Amino acid sequence: MGTNGKNLIDDYRFDGSNKFKIAKVDAASKPFSTGNKADDNARLAEVSAKLDALQDVLYAEHRRKVLVILQGMDTSGKDGTVRGVFRAMDPLGLRVVGFKAPTPQELAHDYLWRVHAQTPARGEIVIFNRSHYEDVLITRVHGDIDAAECKRRYGHINAFEQMLSETGTTIVKCFLHISKDEQRKRLQERIDDPNKHWKFDPADIAERGFWDGYMEAYEAAINATATPEAPWYVVPADSKTHRNVMVAEILLQVFEAMKPQYPEGNPAFEALRIE
Amino acid sequence: MGTNGKNLIDDYRFDGSNKFKIAKVDAASKPFSTGNKADDNARLAEVSAKLDALQDVLYAEHRRKVLVILQGMDTSGKDGTVRGVFRAMDPLGLRVVGFKAPTPQELAHDYLWRVHAQTPARGEIVIFNRSHYEDVLITRVHGDIDAAECKRRYGHINAFEQMLSETGTTIVKCFLHISKDEQRKRLQERIDDPNKHWKFDPADIAERGFWDGYMEAYEAAINATATPEAPWYVVPADSKTHRNVMVAEILLQVFEAMKPQYPEGNPAFEALRIE
């Protein structure tokens, strides 16, 4: 599972050098699973402990920034990923930002304005639960923007993310990929449990009618914005356990590649004795 | 430990009905400890699981807000409390805000401006790591404000917190109380470990020279701002394990008293079948 993780992750990583075809990735597949749920959870605990230790150093280092973008259809498990994977880390250096339908004040600005305001500071890990990608997904699917405007936006997004990257931000974009049938099950579960009604919006059913349009829009957006500085990872997410393990493995690979270091000690401090 | 927690917490809770005398609370005492570290950690894990479940409902309820204020001298364990206690909860509904020396932009506003901007929204738990209380502590100790201005500020703070309370915020203010000797040990530890130098600021030594002034300022501020809506809890914090258990027990009492409930199910949803 973990030892050959690097090559395996590359198969699900899109940085512009290879084309992403959504139909070729099976949402029900579990490439990072051992086939045994208990073993998978043990691996998740093991990776979580490593992520926690690495985050501690990134925070101390106070130099670089990490931005994790979670995208996916309704019920794809964005909230569950936050809970299942990011709870391993110290809340001190972690911030989760959810982007919902924009407010009138937000709409009075450009669509990157509210997003830019929430980007990570030095030493911080920020998770976007939805993001500026909605502005080339929901808007495109509903025809609020045409193909030309959508293409312009891909350009804005690439320039924005390149700027973030060049000013010290490591960007990890995850598409949580579920099947239409898995979404049906999950929406039905929300309906069948009154304690989950708060998560259910009848508008989700109408949105589900645009499924094929969304798949096309995701494929197009991912291909247009997959770059070496801001790659997309496509995460088969019909299995929640697999999804958590895979996202954790991706983060582990990214954090380890960053090689965080504690700031150098200050020799001038060494002689100090506190009275 | 847990079963008689309620009465015990009351001895450390200040809401204006009883006077807080800092000299009467021994920072080295461990009223919430069993005397056995493993048992204490087991209790912390047990309380943490309950806090996690209660937070989940508070988040779903999306009605009330929780503001936890952590104050204490340098090295008193504010960061450690965030890590030790709040990591139990889902990062989705949790936000940690650290307040450092104000920026020029912040100083161009009133001292509650930057704080107000960070208060919790519905369903959210926000932890202030330092807070507006610095504006009646460090400023008072260094003579930047006189007694009359300090008194005016107590008034502003009480009015501000009352407004927050009346608009749906539950406020929990914790003073992490360490002894001067414990601080000496902890500062020395930071000096002796080069990997901890990033946490050490030589200015902390000068600040330590104002210890007695800080104790007076804390006693005065706590007595002036302890109200039923925004009580102070004084946490003996020389023992890190005890500190974590006690803060967790306080939060458990507060969360349980809030009696969070899932929003009522919508009967109109029940007949829905997702295709």
Side-chain angles (χ1 to χ4, degrees), chain A residues 52 83 188 197 266 273, chain B residues 52 83 188 197 266 273:
Chain A
D52 182 32
R83 187 178 172 79
Q188 193 66 54
H197 282 186
N266 184 339
R273 286 297 162 266
Chain B
D52 182 32
R83 187 176 171 81
Q188 192 66 53
H197 282 185
N266 183 340
R273 285 297 162 268

Side-chain angles (χ1 to χ4, degrees), chain A residues 52-53 55-56 59-61 79 82-83 86-92 94-96 100 127 129 180 183-185 187-188 190-192 194-198 200-202 205 208 262-267 269-275, chain B residues 52-53 55-56 59-61 79 82-83 86-92 94-96 100 127 129 180 183-185 187-188 190-192 194-198 200-202 205 208 262-267 269-275:
Chain A
D52 182 32
Q55 182 212 6
D56 198 52
Y59 183 80
E61 188 185 76
D79 290 5
V82 170
R83 187 178 172 79
F86 292 92
R87 202 159 51 146
M89 301 175 200
D90 191 335
L92 199 60
L94 192 70
R95 191 153 51 85
V96 184
K100 312 222 175 215
I127 302 143
N129 188 337
K180 193 174 181 187
Q183 188 193 58
R184 182 189 58 71
K185 286 183 202 159
L187 285 174
Q188 193 66 54
R190 289 186 182 177
I191 288 168
D192 293 343
N195 276 351
K196 289 186 177 169
H197 282 186
W198 66 275
F200 181 75
D201 180 346
I205 298 178
R208 180 169 160 77
Y262 283 105
E264 276 194 40
N266 184 339
F269 289 174
E270 277 165 30
L272 288 171
R273 286 297 162 266
I274 306 289
E275 305 298 324
Chain B
D52 182 32
Q55 182 212 7
D56 197 53
Y59 183 79
E61 188 185 75
D79 290 4
V82 170
R83 187 176 171 81
F86 292 92
R87 202 159 52 147
M89 301 175 200
D90 191 335
L92 200 59
L94 190 70
R95 191 154 51 85
V96 184
K100 311 221 175 217
I127 302 143
N129 188 338
K180 193 175 179 186
Q183 190 193 55
R184 182 188 58 71
K185 285 182 204 160
L187 286 175
Q188 192 66 53
R190 289 187 182 177
I191 288 169
D192 293 343
N195 276 352
K196 289 187 176 169
H197 282 185
W198 64 277
F200 179 74
D201 180 345
I205 298 180
R208 181 170 160 77
Y262 283 105
E264 276 193 41
N266 183 340
F269 289 173
E270 278 165 28
L272 289 171
R273 285 297 162 268
I274 308 289
E275 303 300 323

Side-chain angles (χ1 to χ4, degrees), chain A residues 106-123:
Chain A
E106 288 169 346
L107 283 172
H109 293 265
D110 69 81
Y111 66 95
L112 292 175
W113 176 78
R114 63 174 185 163
V115 170
H116 202 160
Q118 298 287 358
T119 48
R122 291 172 188 275

Side-chain angles (χ1 to χ4, degrees), chain B residues 114-126:
Chain B
R114 65 174 184 163
V115 170
H116 202 159
Q118 298 286 359
T119 48
R122 291 173 188 275
E124 209 179 19
I125 298 172
V126 168

